[in-house]
Amino acid sequence: MAETLTETPPRQKLDGARQRLSDRDGFLAWIFLVPTVVYIVVLVAIPFFLAIAFAFSDVTSGNPSYDWVGLENFYRVFDDAVFWQALRNTFVFTVISMLLIVVLGKVLAMVLVADFKGKWIVRFLVLLPWTTPVALSSVTWLWLLHSIYSPIDWVLRNVGLIEENSYFLGRPALAMGSIIAVHVWRLVPLAAVIMMVGILSIPDDITEASRIDGAGFWRRMFEVTIPLTFPLIAVAALFGAIFTFTDMAVVYVLTGGGPTNSTHVLASWSFVRGIGGGDIGQGAVIALFLFPLLLAAAILILRAVRKMETI
Amino acid sequence: MTFEIDPWTRRRFFQLAGLAGAGVTLGACASEPESPAEQGGGKAPSPVFNEPATQLSGELSILLWSHFVPSHDTWFDSFAKEWGKKVGVNVRVDHVDVGNVPTQIASEIQAGQGHDILQYIATLSEFEEGVLDLTDVNDEVANRHGEQLAMCRESSYNPHTDKFYALAPGWVPDPGNFRKSLWEPVGFPDGPSTWDELLQGSSEIKKSQNVPVGLGMSQEIDSNMAGHALLWSHGASVQDANENVVLDSPETIAAVEFMQKLFKNSMTDEVFSWNASSNNEGLIAGELSYILNSISAWRSSQEANPEVANDTFFVPALEGPETALAAQHVMYNYVVPKHAKNPDAAKEFLLHFTDNFGLATYHSRLYDFPSWSSLSPQLGDWLSSDPFGAKPADKLSFLGDVDTAAEWSASIGHPGPSSPAIGEVIGTFVIPNMFARAARGGMSPEQTVKRAHEECQRIFSRWRKRDLIGGG
């Protein structure tokens, strides 16, 4: 009888078990981690190891069967002048874009934290380039830079700065400039928002103290704002670099790698070789060259984040 | 013509902006209105139906491009479904933008699953190892309709492996389109008939009216076609009939030198950023004196700018020092991948579709030509009295019929087959880049030809190693 009185009802038992599970940090950690791990394994790890496997194979777009060819694809890729051009372009686009993104992002962040009427609308508009899908915004830019219909040309012509159309995408230097401009246009808002968070997190009393001590705008900028927000500036720069380094949509839509392969980057050349040319092996080799820089960028981001945690 | 070329006025800007908007709507290369405005006496042929050889059932999925003439797709979708109802097969048709078709095909073959029939507008030879041998289908079509045009056979059959990797039921000619009002004052009222006349007339037009020629030297398909036409007309080619690379030759150098002159005198830097819609946009805007294109740009202008459409006329392939040949503008390739779940239905549908290719010709507004001249016996009549509003009605009569147009047309691998190596040469834009390097002044004709030759050799050696091409 006594046993019957002390027995826990089944529903309470279940609730208890649930409570115990939800109290176990280890269990919860795994539950929360699983989606991320699955995502990374399926969409990052497996394709990455596949790319390594393909790089040593003779797989073509028409024949997925795997035959080992050793380093042959690497020799063929290195023997191709376009690969070296694409490698050089990737670094040039990334470095120039990153510098411009940081400088313009900082300027924009300063504007966004300032107090003025209609601030929220301005913030909304500024974010639009970042929120627009890259393929869509690239097509818009394709029309803005069009050889016949370009409104930019029309304006320049009407203010007397040019006599004939600029052919932005038909001249190598202008085509490269156009690609960099589009990257900067779409990534500056992201950088600005990241840096804005940094600026807003600086305690008012520090800014006030430096002002009382007689520091002007530039001195406050270089001796207070930038040092205190540096980790966030680094994160913005690295995000900008990664997005530029890995992107092929802007190049593919605007120039298709032309004129005469002069604007190809590793991602677009990998696509042309692997899909256009049907040589998956060579496409994989070219794509693998993205890995070392991305690894370095990832390490730097993690270090920057750790530094932020210790501030 | 009242369409002024210069100066840029506000009205002109809005005109062009409006046309640009129309260009976007009209699509990648040549979109047409949904319902063709039939004005002549032509009528669509009656459909033909042959009972399938075996009992069919199940599903059949078809992937094909979004045709430049949307009325074709409307017709095709219901045509395919009606056939399915008759034979007890549930047919599904998916259309993809032309630029995305190769990527889609590659991903389906890599994944080993997807559609039962895959179609593209150029040779699919690079997928030979991943598709079924369609010799039986090609033999059956030959039994029913006779001998296929040689260039279509060369674009679907690999002589080295003795395999029909595709069925090529149709193609599209690539004539020159010229603006009569611009060419008449410079002494060529019927347009140029040779490459030299093109140079002479277009130089004069550029000088006097500042309207350039539009022959692409960019990384896209039309530039490939223009480059090959110029090569062949000079007696040069990428490969010989036995699939050996023969690009580095005095004839190729002469062709490159010609292109240098043509660029300097008649073109602008826009040809280096040419894309699939540039022909259309330039012609519709009245900004080009001559283009190498199918009739699609002109069909688009019939709706978007009738004034330009009425002023646009055509010439067949231009005569060079050696011959007069143009590349096919489009070469339809239908393949049945090894992963197809319903290959019997796929093959039967391809037979049915080929039997009715005359309907495709009609509903594409005479854009598609059949690979067997017997498949569209009314074509000659349609061309001499256009059912879709050409002014004058016999504007397309220069095309004659299938055989006449084929006389000055060639497959992209000419004089050899359109092998996987040729597919890669096309897909990586070796030829347009060869011309562009010299035209831009970055390399001498000899240097650029040598570099392109080496690129071709690298490509050919790889495919030869896979035993998919001959020569060597």
Side-chain angles (χ1 to χ4, degrees):
Chain A
M1 187 67 186
E3 271 181 32
T4 315
L5 284 172
T6 55
E7 197 178 334
T8 319
R11 183 165 181 84
Q12 274 185 13
K13 253 186 187 172
L14 192 65
D15 288 347
R18 274 188 191 151
Q19 210 163 4
R20 277 198 299 279
L21 271 181
S22 62
D23 286 341
R24 284 166 56 189
D25 287 350
F27 174 76
L28 282 179
W30 272 109
I31 289 289
F32 291 142
L33 269 179
V34 161
T36 311
V37 171
V38 169
Y39 174 85
I40 290 172
V41 168
V42 173
L43 296 177
V44 181
I46 292 177
F48 174 66
F49 288 112
L50 261 181
I52 293 176
F54 284 162
F56 296 95
S57 78
D58 66 348
V59 171
T60 67
S61 55
N63 186 1
S65 67
Y66 191 94
D67 293 305
W68 176 265
V69 295
L71 292 172
E72 192 182 312
N73 288 327
F74 287 83
Y75 294 140
R76 285 178 187 274
V77 166
F78 295 157
D79 199 25
D80 187 350
V82 183
F83 166 73
W84 297 108
Q85 167 98 48
L87 187 64
R88 196 163 50 244
N89 286 348
T90 309
F91 279 98
V92 169
F93 287 165
T94 304
V95 170
I96 297 178
S97 300
M98 196 173 72
L99 289 174
L100 290 171
I101 287 165
V102 167
V103 173
L104 297 176
K106 182 76 187 163
V107 172
L108 195 57
M110 301 293 286
V111 171
L112 292 179
V113 294
D115 241 350
F116 58 91
K117 257 189 178 177
K119 188 163 77 171
W120 292 107
I121 290 179
V122 172
R123 282 185 179 179
F124 169 73
L125 291 175
V126 160
L127 273 176
L128 274 182
W130 167 246
T131 53
T132 309
V134 60
L136 191 62
S137 56
S138 299
V139 170
T140 309
W141 276 99
L142 186 65
W143 281 100
L144 290 172
L145 302 168
H146 195 276
S147 59
I148 297 173
Y149 301 118
S150 168
I152 299 171
D153 269 341
W154 186 83
V155 170
L156 293 176
R157 186 197 289 275
N158 277 276
V159 298
L161 289 176
I162 56 170
E163 285 182 2
E164 61 162 16
N165 284 1
S166 305
Y167 305 117
F168 292 103
L169 306 177
R171 294 171 175 163
L174 280 177
M176 289 178 79
S178 302
I179 289 166
I180 290 169
V182 174
H183 277 308
V184 171
W185 170 84
R186 77 187 182 96
L187 291 173
V188 158
L190 173 72
V193 169
I194 293 172
M195 289 189 225
M196 194 175 82
V197 172
I199 293 169
L200 290 173
S201 67
I202 298 172
D204 284 346
D205 50 349
I206 294 181
T207 316
E208 203 53 42
S210 61
R211 196 171 277 151
I212 290 165
D213 286 347
F217 173 81
W218 292 109
R219 195 151 184 205
R220 284 204 311 277
M221 168 72 78
F222 286 103
E223 293 186 13
V224 178
T225 312
I226 290 180
L228 287 177
T229 57
F230 186 76
L232 278 167
I233 292 173
V235 168
L238 287 167
F239 269 121
I242 289 173
F243 285 134
T244 310
F245 198 76
T246 54
D247 179 76
M248 70 162 269
V250 175
V251 171
Y252 193 69
V253 172
L254 285 189
T255 66
T260 53
N261 291 323
S262 59
T263 57
H264 265 305
V265 289
L266 286 177
S268 63
W269 185 235
S270 164
F271 180 81
V272 167
R273 268 271 161 236
I275 303 299
D279 191 338
I280 303 282
Q282 278 197 49
V285 170
I286 297 162
L288 280 182
F289 274 81
L290 293 166
F291 178 65
L293 191 117
L294 291 177
L295 183 69
I299 291 168
L300 286 172
I301 285 180
L302 290 174
R303 279 191 181 171
V305 170
R306 200 175 303 142
K307 202 173 172 187
M308 281 165 64
E309 285 171 352
T310 56
I311 287 173
Chain B
M1 290 300 297
T2 56
F3 211 86
E4 291 172 12
I5 303 306
D6 244 345
W8 281 72
T9 61
R10 189 169 55 180
R11 175 176 293 182
R12 175 153 172 70
F13 173 74
F14 286 124
Q15 276 178 333
L16 291 179
L19 292 174
V24 175
T25 313
L26 288 167
C29 186
S31 299
E32 312 295 333
E34 277 294 320
S35 308
E38 297 172 40
Q39 291 178 12
K43 275 186 182 169
S46 306
V48 178
F49 177 74
N50 288 309
E51 279 294 338
T54 54
Q55 179 68 37
L56 302 174
S57 62
E59 310 271 326
L60 176 70
S61 54
I62 305 170
L63 174 84
L64 69 165
W65 73 319
S66 294
H67 201 288
F68 291 152
V69 184
S71 56
H72 171 278
D73 289 349
T74 311
W75 160 77
F76 183 91
D77 294 359
S78 61
F79 168 81
K81 278 177 185 151
E82 262 173 45
W83 173 82
K85 272 184 207 157
K86 273 186 191 161
V87 300
V89 172
N90 186 22
V91 179
R92 195 187 86 226
V93 183
D94 295 317
H95 297 274
V96 176
D97 175 70
V98 62
N100 294 322
V101 175
T103 315
Q104 179 78 24
I105 294 177
S107 60
E108 289 194 9
I109 288 181
Q110 285 293 317
Q113 57 184 347
H115 296 81
D116 299 294
I117 296 177
L118 304 165
Q119 179 249 36
Y120 188 49
I121 62 166
T123 181
L124 291 173
S125 52
E126 67 268 36
F127 297 105
E128 180 176 332
E129 291 163 295
V131 301
L132 297 180
D133 189 347
L134 294 184
T135 300
D136 49 353
V137 177
N138 279 275
D139 286 348
E140 180 56 27
V141 179
N143 283 340
R144 293 182 191 182
H145 305 292
E147 198 179 343
Q148 188 182 21
L149 289 179
M151 68 170 166
C152 300
R153 184 184 161 89
E154 284 162 7
S155 303
S156 53
Y157 173 69
N158 185 341
H160 186 71
T161 56
D162 190 25
K163 177 177 175 178
F164 272 101
Y165 51 85
L167 173 73
W171 64 292
V172 176
D174 201 31
N177 303 204
F178 71 97
R179 295 272 310 286
K180 199 177 181 69
S181 63
L182 298 172
W183 283 82
E184 209 157 22
V186 296
F188 297 102
D190 298 322
S193 62
T194 67
W195 284 99
D196 281 337
E197 284 182 8
L198 177 72
L199 176 62
Q200 194 190 332
S202 64
S203 306
E204 191 53 45
I205 292 170
K206 176 86 168 31
K207 208 185 296 170
S208 59
Q209 305 186 62
N210 200 26
V211 182
V213 160
L215 294 186
M217 280 185 268
S218 176
Q219 324 218 124
E220 53 87 39
I221 191 84
D222 288 344
S223 301
N224 263 317
M225 302 307 171
H228 279 78
L230 183 58
L231 280 181
W232 297 330
S233 302
H234 281 74
S237 60
V238 172
Q239 63 175 0
D240 62 17
N242 298 315
E243 301 181 85
N244 295 301
V245 178
V246 291
L247 188 61
D248 194 357
S249 68
E251 290 81 9
T252 308
I253 292 169
V256 172
E257 284 168 347
F258 179 87
M259 189 62 109
Q260 269 185 317
K261 273 187 264 174
L262 189 65
F263 172 72
K264 195 176 163 201
N265 293 312
S266 313
M267 296 199 248
T268 65
D269 283 343
E270 73 178 309
V271 296
F272 301 126
S273 59
W274 211 246
N275 60 44
S277 50
S278 296
N279 280 320
N280 291 53
E281 292 157 7
L283 191 82
I284 292 169
E287 293 283 332
L288 297 171
S289 66
Y290 178 96
I291 59 171
L292 203 50
N293 198 39
S294 64
I295 61 170
S296 61
W298 162 71
R299 285 287 190 211
S300 294
S301 64
Q302 278 184 297
E303 297 294 329
N305 192 346
E307 209 169 346
V308 165
N310 295 339
D311 187 40
T312 301
F313 287 79
F314 301 92
V315 287
L318 300 178
E319 184 87 37
E322 190 64 30
T323 185
L325 270 182
Q328 92 277 327
H329 187 72
V330 159
M331 178 61 69
Y332 290 109
N333 257 215
Y334 287 78
V335 297
V336 180
K338 283 181 177 166
H339 63 248
K341 290 190 180 105
N342 203 345
D344 291 339
K347 288 179 178 183
E348 285 293 347
F349 176 75
L350 290 179
L351 287 172
H352 178 67
F353 174 62
T354 309
D355 288 341
N356 288 283
F357 203 88
L359 281 165
T361 302
Y362 185 84
H363 287 285
S364 66
R365 303 172 81 184
L366 315 188
Y367 181 85
D368 294 348
F369 274 37
S371 302
W372 286 265
S373 47
S374 61
L375 286 174
S376 188
Q378 307 99 316
L379 181 60
D381 294 339
W382 292 336
L383 293 171
S384 53
S385 179
D386 182 48
F388 305 105
K391 286 181 186 165
D394 65 347
K395 186 172 274 190
L396 299 177
S397 61
F398 78 99
L399 287 165
D401 55 28
V402 173
D403 294 319
T404 313
E407 278 170 17
W408 49 265
S409 303
S411 67
I412 201 72
H414 177 81
S418 303
S419 65
I422 288 292
E424 186 170 342
V425 171
I426 299 298
T428 52
F429 313 106
V430 175
I431 299 304
N433 282 334
M434 175 185 76
F435 283 113
R437 283 192 295 265
R440 279 179 44 215
M443 278 188 186
S444 70
E446 290 79 4
Q447 286 172 326
T448 191
V449 170
K450 190 169 182 291
R451 177 161 162 184
H453 181 90
E454 286 166 1
E455 285 173 30
C456 289
Q457 277 188 318
R458 267 203 301 274
I459 291 169
F460 272 65
S461 72
R462 196 172 69 84
W463 289 102
R464 202 167 280 130
K465 217 171 173 185
R466 295 183 75 93
D467 204 24
L468 283 172
I469 65 167

